[in-house]
Amino acid sequence: MPNPDPRALDPRSTVLVSPGYLAGLGGSRNIFNTLDLAPGWTKTIAFGTDTYYTSPCQRVRVANAVESFYGGWTISFAEDPLGVPDWITTFDRNTPHEIVTAFTGTLVDGLHNNFADYLSGGQRYAGTSPASLIARQRWEPVHGSRPFRMVSPDGHAAYQMRVGWLHEYDELLTPTKSTWRMSAGADPVYTPNWQAFFSQYTPQHLITASTAAFTNPAPVPRVLDQIPDRHRSLVSITRPDTARPSPRTAAALARSTHAEAMHAPPPPSAPTRLTTHVGSRRQR
């Protein structure tokens, strides 16, 4: 079915957009809800705009520092809570929220037993990898590219892996040197609209969770005026009342409608300590 004329729709109306990686940021309520409702996690508001979460074991830090260079979300893990992080993942401020939610939801769900459920033999072990998910959607490798790169059939999304030796501290300090990168846009390699970076030791099942959302062909719900202008000619837009959304899309629509009706997030099921911190604004 052809795209409806955007001029004939209310800019505030919710539409279905595909592919999701070009649909724009979307709402971040699902990301916050995942972390707000995680038992035992603590939440800190700094400078009136930045939000920080810490896991009960003190090994995971999650930051939504909106005025930092990348904005978006940064997640770090350190086996020694006072030591250098073992891995860092960065989703920039324009990364679609489905990709971030998939990562944080899987992180919160598995951290209590050190992700044993997601490893081989675990109850949630899927036996898939980012590479297998990408191949399943018929993404094509770019032969001779360095870093190694696979590109979506429409040419507007890329998944790349850095090859060769790299000091682990370099990628911890500089996201652009990370081992893995997801990106999308009219030119996803050189001028992407958004980027996500995963350092070398980021658990594969967490990257796989984000990759599943990244490559999922099902349309995602967006408010019409949230779709980036530069992507309008690259996406398919459908009115929800004229389409039969997939289960994933139907669930996302339900969450979107519910989130828009809320004036405040629901209270957490477990007590969450809220503090105000004033300190260094040094961010990635």
Side-chain angles (χ1 to χ4, degrees), residues 48 51 65 68 70 83 90 93 105 114 137 142 200 218-219 223 241 257 272:
T51 307
S68 63
Y70 288 98
T90 300
R93 59 176 47 84
N114 206 29
Q137 298 302 329
V142 180
Q200 180 178 1
V223 174
D241 58 353
T257 302
T272 301

Side-chain angles (χ1 to χ4, degrees), residues 55-67:
S55 66
C57 62
Q58 304 296 304
R59 295 181 297 168
V60 175
R61 305 285 192 271
V62 180
N64 178 232
V66 297
E67 294 183 11

Side-chain angles (χ1 to χ4, degrees), residues 33-194:
N33 282 345
T34 296
L35 297 165
D36 286 341
L37 299 175
W41 286 62
T42 59
K43 179 180 182 179
T44 299
I45 305 295
F47 315 108
T49 58
D50 300 345
T51 307
Y52 298 85
Y53 294 91
T54 304
S55 66
C57 62
Q58 304 296 304
R59 295 181 297 168
V60 175
R61 305 285 192 271
V62 180
N64 178 232
V66 297
E67 294 183 11
S68 63
F69 182 80
Y70 288 98
W73 296 85
T74 297
I75 301 99
S76 68
F77 174 92
E79 191 66 42
D80 175 0
L82 297 179
V84 175
D86 295 89
W87 56 261
I88 293 179
T89 290
T90 300
F91 300 96
D92 76 11
R93 59 176 47 84
N94 293 321
T95 304
H97 77 85
E98 291 88 358
I99 296 171
V100 185
T101 300
F103 188 100
T104 54
T106 306
L107 171 69
V108 167
D109 184 69
L111 184 63
H112 70 283
N113 64 358
N114 206 29
F115 310 121
D117 289 344
Y118 290 88
L119 303 178
S120 180
Q123 297 178 354
R124 294 179 179 269
Y125 177 66
T128 56
S129 66
S132 66
L133 291 176
I134 288 171
R136 189 178 301 170
Q137 298 302 329
R138 302 183 184 280
W139 290 39
E140 294 291 335
V142 180
H143 297 290
S145 64
R146 291 182 65 88
F148 173 76
R149 187 176 299 120
M150 297 189 74
V151 177
S152 60
D154 65 4
H156 300 310
Y159 181 89
Q160 74 176 36
M161 181 180 70
R162 184 177 293 277
V163 293
W165 184 85
L166 178 70
H167 195 291
E168 62 180 292
Y169 288 174
D170 288 345
E171 60 175 353
L172 294 178
L173 292 171
T174 308
T176 55
K177 294 183 179 180
S178 294
T179 299
W180 292 282
R181 183 186 81 161
M182 297 177 187
S183 58
D187 180 347
V189 176
Y190 299 106
T191 56
N193 185 66
W194 65 264

